[in-house]
Amino acid sequence: MLPFNRPALIVVLALVAAIFGLRQWGSSQPEEIRKSRILMDTVVEITVFGSASIPLQESVDAAFKEIERIEALTSFFQEKSDLSRLKGAGSMEVSPETAAIIATGLEVAAASGGAFDMTLGKLKDVWQIEGDHPRLPQPEEIKEALAGSGFGALVLEGGRVVRSSPETSIDLGGIAKGYAIDRAIEVLKKAGVEHAAVNAGGDIRLLGDRRGQPWRIAIQHPRQQNGFLGRLLIQGVALVTSGDYERFFEKDGIRYHHLFDPRTGYPATASQSVTVLADTAVVADALATAAFVLGPQEGIALLKKFPGSEGMIVGADGKPAYTPGFGKLIEWQSN
Ligand code: ADP
Ligand code: MG
């Protein structure tokens, strides 16, 4: 015998359909949460979309915690970071994550002929561009700060970091933020989030689309404070920009910024800004810094060595150069 008579069964089925319908309706109107915090010396904004069944608040909080953890591991300034401990040792075992970041950085260093250089810690110290008292060092100070730096000064042997000399000072400032963004996205994914944007001061990684549409991301104009170079339509990728317009000081009409040319020890002069798209933010971050140093021509050649990466390099003269696939991503462009 059936447990329900016919009318009761119809009522039950109608109820099930109504609940299912409501859930469907709910998921087509996803909740949106956006939160910001200051981390890694910049404003980090996390946006997530999802149905009420996903713990959105908790996942965003966990993603921020993850960025905090990576900051503590990689910071040039925090005393207990892997890097600070490295200052005193010739060779040292580092955490697997720090080793992985350094391995990616070394790959970009090799591909860029040393333009990406994680051994410029002493140079960062003498210029103090990001500190309260940036200064123009004497040429001798710059020469001295370059001692112990350069390609080959930092080697990875398994999980050990080996420095060529006690003067080698490691700085992951050009790559660690990208890794932190990637980790935040992984934490969100694990929590079940399928649509998100993690934006750390303009370095972005996207997860999925935005309400069924690609995300629209504007690219800052390097010489117009409230102007944009254009807007991209992208999803599920990382987009990182390195420019000379955010962290800099001027002296006698010359702009001194935080992206150094390892060959000279002075801020690189070949570009105004570089925007790189790649699958991960860690790769995009290192490539953007390297391409900035190289300038439009060599920079585009570098990006072509990394399958899946695309980019745009604004040269010192303000003229942009592009990788072949970049045009497809542009929704709108200033002229
Ligand atoms: P931002 O941190 O402003 O997003 P970048 O990702 O380009 O910009 O990183 C800039 C930081 O990278 C500098 O503050 C410094 O710590 C480090 N850096 C500077 N010059 C180089 C270089 N040639 N190679 C690798 N890292 C660099
Ligand atoms: Mg970078």
Side-chain angles (χ1 to χ4, degrees):
M1 215 173 90
L2 287 169
F4 299 109
N5 59 24
R6 217 176 137 78
L9 191 64
I10 288 169
V11 169
V12 169
L13 285 178
L15 261 176
V16 169
I19 291 167
F20 189 70
L22 266 179
R23 283 192 52 194
Q24 286 293 90
W25 183 79
S27 65
S28 66
Q29 299 282 320
E31 213 182 313
E32 173 179 345
I33 290 180
R34 179 172 302 177
K35 279 190 179 180
S36 300
R37 278 184 59 188
I38 296 198
L39 286 169
M40 301 194 95
D41 209 18
T42 194
V43 179
V44 181
E45 183 188 77
I46 300 182
T47 309
V48 293
F49 293 95
S51 66
S53 61
I54 302 168
L56 292 178
Q57 291 282 0
E58 291 82 349
S59 67
V60 170
D61 292 342
F64 276 124
K65 265 222 154 75
E66 182 69 358
I67 295 176
E68 227 174 325
R69 186 179 73 79
I70 303 304
E71 180 177 19
L73 204 62
T74 58
S75 168
F76 189 67
F77 303 105
Q78 294 193 13
E79 269 186 17
K80 285 184 185 147
S81 74
D82 264 3
L83 287 198
S84 295
R85 292 192 298 124
L86 259 173
K87 280 178 194 159
S91 116
M92 196 187 94
E93 190 87 25
V94 292
S95 68
E97 284 183 292
T98 303
I101 297 169
I102 291 176
T104 303
L106 287 175
E107 217 180 293
V108 175
S112 64
F116 188 76
D117 190 336
M118 295 173 287
T119 63
L120 301 177
K122 280 202 302 170
L123 202 60
K124 193 177 167 88
D125 277 336
V126 297
W127 280 90
Q128 294 282 323
I129 305 262
E130 282 134 295
D132 294 334
H133 307 287
R135 55 190 284 272
L136 177 58
Q138 294 301 313
E140 310 81 66
E141 284 179 89
I142 289 176
K143 204 171 151 216
E144 215 169 284
L146 284 173
S149 76
F151 199 57
L154 162 65
V155 180
L156 207 53
E157 286 173 3
R160 285 192 90 75
V161 166
V162 183
R163 298 181 308 156
S164 68
S165 95
E167 295 197 283
T168 307
S169 168
I170 298 164
D171 164 33
L172 301 181
I175 189 170
K177 210 196 300 166
Y179 182 73
I181 293 170
D182 287 336
R183 284 302 315 158
I185 287 284
E186 290 310 317
V187 164
L188 293 173
K189 268 197 213 167
K190 271 211 186 99
V193 175
E194 291 173 358
H195 306 274
V198 176
N199 180 348
D203 296 353
I204 299 168
R205 184 160 162 196
L206 306 169
L207 179 61
D209 57 25
R210 185 184 186 282
R211 297 187 187 273
Q213 301 284 326
W215 298 77
R216 296 189 143 88
I217 310 288
I219 303 174
Q220 170 73 46
H221 194 295
R223 293 293 177 269
Q224 296 171 11
Q225 216 178 20
N226 297 311
F228 297 103
L229 289 173
R231 197 163 55 200
L232 304 183
L233 287 177
I234 50 175
Q235 61 189 61
V237 290
L239 189 78
V240 171
T241 296
S242 278
D244 66 5
Y245 51 86
E246 264 185 346
R247 296 165 200 257
F248 71 93
F249 70 94
E250 273 179 339
K251 194 164 192 263
D252 303 327
I254 299 175
R255 179 186 293 241
Y256 297 99
H257 58 85
H258 71 324
L259 299 167
F260 301 115
D261 186 331
R263 294 165 293 198
T264 62
Y266 283 82
T269 54
S271 316
Q272 292 181 356
S273 86
V274 174
T275 298
V276 174
L277 176 138
D279 289 339
T280 62
V282 69
V283 168
D285 193 2
L287 284 177
T289 304
F292 186 98
V293 173
L294 293 174
Q297 211 182 345
E298 288 177 67
I300 295 293
L302 169 69
L303 298 184
K304 285 183 182 166
K305 291 184 193 169
F306 286 77
S309 76
E310 300 288 350
M312 164 181 184
I313 303 175
V314 180
D317 58 2
K319 289 209 185 92
Y322 307 89
T323 55
F326 196 79
K328 287 199 295 278
L329 314 166
I330 300 175
E331 179 198 26
W332 163 86
Q333 191 172 20
S334 75
N335 35 44

